[in-house]
């Protein structure tokens, strides 16, 4: 139900190539941004990628880039590149809702470090993208503003929680978007939308200004059309930030330097434990990817890491525990919504009852339960021990392998509503992405093949901490061997405008 996009063809070369053209004065940032806003106006009513489009601010930022070029200055590597920001990234004076009623109309007084670095690199934000409420979900359906649709098939989910960002890139509305990944929220929607999605090593990218979900797991990363763009974007946003106490004291590296080096002699482990739990198409894509790397000179072997299958259970204790603590701050006093009542405790309770959706409430209750006296050790403590087992299992695997290969998701994009009635079914969407977050490692999903109904299938490359260069090099080799039809941009067959918007 899709065709190649024509008007977004200028993005098909990717964000970095576009930035280079603007930087060289071949095309103005204003022209680029105006064209992007026009395209957005056509597709957005059917897709609902955005919670907010900041057209005026985008045009103003584009003019500033053009003024720098006119004066002979350097506007940066992403000069005039239209980008989209997940709506859990703080933007100064611009509503940041996390797709939750509780943050309705909240305007942060500061920019996230990532947002600041992107602006300094010349990128132009078109607005804030839809997500599962507080990034809790795998389909963008828990959003209080209604679901985003998958541009490959409007009756299907784009994945989540960074579904708006993934769909915006897949539909060619922007060549670069940003998401957050706590348990797979960049990689899973990237896979379901046929785009590249990268989760960096924990601590490589500042979390300052990312609304916290589970602080020991959250990382910000890019969604792009090409592996090269993911490398360029990472370089822009990575690097030490004194405003984030978990930020690693390292400079950003040049992640593009080794992209063309190939995989000759590289040791690649295919995680065998994940293959039986993936659909035939998804495990088939991994086997095909393994063969492609092997023909390109890599030494590919299967490896058993059974501990990883316990990641999901540990994650659904650790992440809710941290969330229950992080979300305590939404009390009707400090941010957003307030439901008035006669006394403070009732006001707090009523505000939270009205402001949070069912999935967020489920997580808060689960997290509060596993942290409570008498249960703490049996649940939370046990989950932390499993986390350590997973870290050690990865350590052993990386003694033998440079990178690991796995499916990103168990299936292709599923129909809207297919998993909303069964939280466990939804949670299983992240079976293959979660272990990486528990270990703090990087991973990237690359669109590789076409599966059922002509929908894209992603393959995941995992690497040890700070292994981004070798991971991206492997990803570039996969991209070269991939079915070119498996990646965006696609022009959605436009349907009816979507209902639903939050106040
Ligand atoms: N889908 C997972 C969850 O609901 C992961 C979300 C994320 O990475 N933000 O917790």
């Amino acid at each position: 139900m899709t065709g190649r996009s024509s008007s977004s063809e200028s993005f098909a070369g990717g964000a970095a190539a576009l930035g280079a053209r603007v930087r060289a004065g071949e095309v103005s940032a204003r022209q680029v941004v105006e064209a992007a806003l026009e395209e957005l106006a056509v597709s957005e009513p059917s897709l609902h990628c955005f919670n907010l489009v900041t057209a005026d601010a985008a045009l103003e930022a584009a003019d500033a880039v053009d003024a720098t070029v006119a004066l002979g200055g350097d506007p940066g590597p992403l000069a005039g590149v239209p980008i989209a920001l997940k709506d859990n990234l703080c933007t100064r004076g611009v509503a940041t809702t996390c797709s939750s009623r509780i943050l309705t109309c909240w305007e942060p007084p500061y920019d996230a470090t990532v947002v600041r670095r992107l602006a300094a690199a010349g990128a132009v934000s078109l607005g804030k993208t839809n997500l599962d409420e507080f990034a809790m979900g795998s389909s963008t359906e828990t959003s209080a503003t209604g679901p985003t649709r998958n541009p490959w098939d409007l009756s299907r989910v784009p994945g989540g929680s960074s579904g708006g960002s993934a769909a915006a890139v897949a539909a060619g509305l922007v060549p670069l978007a940003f998401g957050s990944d706590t348990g797979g929220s960049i990689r899973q929607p990237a896979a379901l939308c046929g785009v590249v999605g990268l989760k960096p090593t924990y601590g490589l990218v500042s979390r300052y200004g990312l609304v916290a979900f589970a602080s020991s797991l959250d990382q910000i990363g890019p969604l792009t059309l090409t592996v090269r763009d993911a490398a360029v974007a990472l370089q822009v946003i990575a690097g030490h930030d004194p405003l984030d106490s978990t930020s690693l004291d390292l400079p950003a590296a040049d992640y593009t330097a080794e992209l063309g080096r190939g995989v000759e002699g590289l040791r690649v482990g295919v995680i065998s434990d994940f293959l039986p739990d993936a659909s035939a198409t998804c495990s088939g894509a991994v086997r095909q990817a393994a063969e492609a790397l092997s023909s390109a000179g890599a030494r590919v072997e299967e490896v058993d890491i059974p501990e990883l299958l316990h990641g999901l259970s540990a994650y659904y204790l650790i992440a809710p525990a941290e969330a229950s603590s992080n979300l305590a701050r939404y009390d009707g006093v400090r941010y957003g919504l307030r439901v008035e009542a006669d006394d403070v405790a009732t006001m707090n309770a009523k505000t939270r009852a009205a402001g949070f959706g069912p999935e967020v409430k489920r997580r808060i209750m689960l997290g509060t339960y596993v942290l409570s006296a008498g249960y703490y050790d049996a649940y939370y403590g046990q989950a932390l021990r499993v986390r350590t087992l997973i870290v050690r299992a990865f350590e052993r695997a990386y003694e033998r392998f440079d990178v690991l290969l796995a499916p990103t998701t168990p299936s292709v994009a599923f129909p809207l509503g297919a998993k909303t009635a069964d939280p466990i079914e939804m949670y299983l969407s992240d079976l293959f992405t979660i272990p990486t977050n528990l270990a703090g490692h990087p991973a990237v999903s690359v669109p590789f093949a076409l599966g059922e109904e002509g929908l894209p299938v992603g393959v995941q490359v995992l690497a040890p901490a700070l292994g981004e260069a070798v991971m991206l090099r492997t990803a570039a080799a996969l991209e070269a061997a991939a079915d070119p039809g498996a990646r965006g941009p696609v022009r959605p067959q436009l349907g009816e405008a979507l209902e639903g918007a939050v106040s």
Side-chain angles (χ1 to χ4, degrees), residues 86 88 132 134-139 160-162 180-188 213 218 315-316 319 359 363 426-427 429-430 433-434 437:
K86 188 174 183 178
N88 61 354
D132 282 294
F134 281 103
M136 296 173 189
S138 308
S139 66
S161 63
S162 313
S180 60
D181 192 311
T182 304
S185 276
I186 292 173
R187 291 161 287 156
Q188 185 259 14
F213 163 10
D218 300 338
Y315 172 89
Y316 276 98
E359 184 59 31
R363 306 277 179 119
M426 191 68 90
Y427 297 171
S429 309
D430 305 306
T433 47
I434 277 173
N437 299 76

Side-chain angles (χ1 to χ4, degrees), residues 92-127:
R92 190 157 68 97
V94 175
T96 298
T97 71
C98 294
S99 290
S100 180
R101 279 186 299 274
I102 210 153
L103 278 177
T104 302
C105 299
W106 180 60
E107 294 181 356
Y110 62 93
D111 278 328
T113 295
V114 162
V115 172
R116 244 184 333 100
R117 289 187 180 171
L118 286 164
V124 175
S125 170
L126 299 193

Side-chain angles (χ1 to χ4, degrees), residues 144 235 369 459 465:
Q235 199 169 328
Y369 180 80
V459 169

Side-chain angles (χ1 to χ4, degrees), residues 458-484:
V459 169
Q460 203 184 179
V461 184
L462 295 78
L466 299 174
E468 272 81 0
V470 68
M471 174 183 91
L472 284 162
R473 195 174 130 201
T474 313
L478 283 185
E479 183 176 53
D483 178 345

Side-chain angles (χ1 to χ4, degrees), residues 63-307:
D63 288 343
V65 168
D66 289 334
T68 305
V69 175
L71 287 170
D74 183 2
L78 297 175
V81 173
I83 61 166
L85 301 169
K86 188 174 183 178
D87 202 10
N88 61 354
L89 292 166
C90 286
T91 41
R92 190 157 68 97
V94 175
T96 298
T97 71
C98 294
S99 290
S100 180
R101 279 186 299 274
I102 210 153
L103 278 177
T104 302
C105 299
W106 180 60
E107 294 181 356
Y110 62 93
D111 278 328
T113 295
V114 162
V115 172
R116 244 184 333 100
R117 289 187 180 171
L118 286 164
V124 175
S125 170
L126 299 193
K128 310 295 293 286
T129 56
N130 195 15
L131 63 151
D132 282 294
E133 186 176 3
F134 281 103
M136 296 173 189
S138 308
S139 66
T140 318
E141 291 169 295
T142 71
S143 165
T145 71
T148 296
R149 299 194 178 225
N150 190 318
W152 293 76
D153 177 344
L154 296 178
S155 70
R156 290 174 191 260
V157 302
S161 63
S162 313
S165 286
V169 175
L173 304 186
V174 288
L176 171 60
F178 291 83
S180 60
D181 192 311
T182 304
S185 276
I186 292 173
R187 291 161 287 156
Q188 185 259 14
L192 302 195
C193 288
V195 302
V196 176
L198 187 157
K199 183 207 98 73
T201 300
Y202 185 81
L204 185 60
V205 174
S206 170
R207 291 182 296 112
Y208 180 73
L210 167 67
V211 177
F213 163 10
S215 307
S216 77
L217 302 160
D218 300 338
Q219 267 294 284
I220 300 167
L223 296 107
T224 58
L225 295 170
T226 66
V227 171
R228 171 164 294 273
D229 278 353
V232 171
L234 180 61
Q235 199 169 328
V236 168
I237 61 173
H240 183 244
D241 179 12
L243 297 173
D244 171 1
S245 63
T246 61
S247 166
L248 295 169
D249 198 355
L250 293 167
D254 178 358
Y255 298 107
T256 58
E258 294 189 18
L259 281 184
R261 240 183 91 188
V263 292
E264 183 84 53
L266 215 64
R267 300 166 306 162
V268 178
V270 179
I271 305 177
S272 56
D273 312 81
F274 284 169
L275 298 178
D277 286 309
S279 70
T281 8
C282 293
S283 57
V286 174
R287 291 191 195 283
Q288 238 182 298
E291 270 168 39
L293 293 179
S294 168
S295 334
R299 283 157 35 204
V300 185
E301 257 179 73
E302 288 206 3
V303 53
D304 294 334
I305 321 179
E307 293 86 343

